[in-house]
Amino acid sequence: MKKILILLSVLTVFLAIAGCSIEVPKEYDLKQLNRVDVQVFTGENPEKEKIIMDEEKVKALRDLFAKIEWEYNVKAQMDRKEDMKTTLFFMSEKNMPEKLVEYLIWFDASATIVNREKNSLGNLDNKDAQKLKDILK
């Protein structure tokens, strides 16, 4: 009986430590964002493609992406195709390849953003969603 209690105690401690060490995935450092490629969809094919490198617009996008409220470990399935697909380019070190992050964005009154690589779903309120839409279009 004593062995079972010791085993259960060790197992409980192990599970508690493992449960506390689960980390929420970290997004890339938005200060390293230096370019955003945008594809705007009206149907199945992109209607318009755009590259944003202007420092003012990139800074505004950094601020907006920082406001996204993320929900992690979510497999998002939407009823319709995304309105926009963005590819964010992060320069971490000079002379190293950029890191790319792809966001799929749906606009309604607010904005819904999906990062499939990290299985995360984000939201922006309607005011910030409109700012994002204006910059990306």
Side-chain angles (χ1 to χ4, degrees):
M1 183 69 171
K2 192 173 183 180
K3 289 181 181 180
I4 292 175
L5 286 175
I6 292 173
L7 180 63
L8 285 175
S9 298
V10 170
L11 187 60
T12 303
V13 169
F14 176 74
L15 289 175
I17 291 171
C20 293
S21 67
I22 295 173
E23 290 184 28
V24 173
K26 293 182 181 176
E27 295 297 316
Y28 292 100
D29 184 4
L30 288 171
K31 293 175 192 166
Q32 297 174 341
L33 179 66
N34 64 352
R35 173 179 151 195
V36 178
D37 288 1
V38 182
Q39 291 181 318
V40 180
F41 293 91
T42 52
E44 288 297 314
N45 298 318
E47 171 190 298
K48 178 175 149 184
E49 294 186 19
K50 179 179 179 179
I51 297 173
I52 300 173
M53 293 180 69
D54 176 65
E55 187 58 38
E56 279 186 38
K57 288 184 179 181
V58 171
K59 183 186 179 321
L61 289 171
R62 283 184 196 124
D63 295 341
L64 288 169
F65 290 139
K67 292 181 179 182
I68 296 173
E69 296 177 21
W70 290 103
E71 190 176 327
Y72 295 95
N73 298 320
V74 176
K75 288 232 177 200
Q77 292 187 356
M78 305 302 277
D79 292 338
R80 61 182 170 87
K81 185 165 180 57
E82 67 271 9
D83 297 315
M84 293 182 186
K85 178 166 55 171
T86 59
T87 304
L88 283 59
F89 291 75
F90 293 91
M91 178 63 77
S92 58
E93 294 179 33
K94 200 168 189 156
N95 300 325
M96 293 297 289
E98 294 172 311
K99 295 180 181 174
L100 308 179
V101 177
E102 187 177 86
Y103 287 162
L104 306 177
I105 305 173
W106 288 262
F107 290 102
D108 290 314
S110 61
T112 302
I113 301 102
V114 172
N115 180 339
R116 287 200 177 134
E117 179 182 319
K118 295 194 180 224
N119 291 327
S120 56
L121 175 73
N123 291 299
L124 279 175
D125 65 21
N126 36 353
K127 180 181 154 191
D128 290 329
Q130 188 59 50
K131 287 180 188 177
L132 180 63
K133 189 174 188 178
D134 291 342
I135 294 170
L136 295 178
K137 276 200 168 182

